[in-house]
Amino acid sequence: MTAAALPVCCLSCAFFHEGTSPAFPDAEGMCRRYAPQGPARSHQQGWQVFPPMMKHHWCGDYQERPGLAEAWAAARQAA
C-alpha cells in the first residue's frame, strides 16, 4: 500500500474498532490493541474501558489491517 492510498492512521489499523459508546459519543471508534487495563473516565457520562479514538489518530503500535492494500487497490480500479 502506498501513502497516497490511505495514510497510516487508526482508520486503516487492524486494532481500530469503529463506533461510539455512551461514555464517548463523539469518538469515532476504540483502540482494541490491548486488553482493558482499567476504565477511562468520561467527562460526560459513564465509563469506557477501551481508549476512544478518532479515525485520523495514530500511534506507535499501528499495524495495517489485513487485506487492506488489496481492497483499496480493487476499489480504486473499480472507480
Side-chain angles (χ1 to χ4, degrees):
M1 183 166 97
T2 65
L6 191 60
V8 173
C9 61
C10 289
L11 180 60
S12 63
C13 183
F15 306 118
F16 182 69
H17 175 75
E18 232 175 320
T20 62
S21 72
F24 290 94
D26 296 331
E28 294 177 328
M30 290 155 270
C31 180
R32 299 294 180 102
R33 173 69 174 107
Y34 297 106
Q37 301 296 310
R41 178 101 171 112
S42 167
H43 67 281
Q44 294 179 356
Q45 56 181 295
W47 294 85
Q48 178 73 30
V49 294
F50 288 102
M53 308 301 295
M54 301 304 279
K55 294 176 185 178
H56 66 277
H57 287 164
W58 62 275
C59 74
D61 286 339
Y62 172 85
Q63 289 185 25
E64 185 176 288
R65 188 173 296 176
L68 181 68
E70 295 81 9
W72 189 254
R76 289 181 70 188
Q77 207 167 34

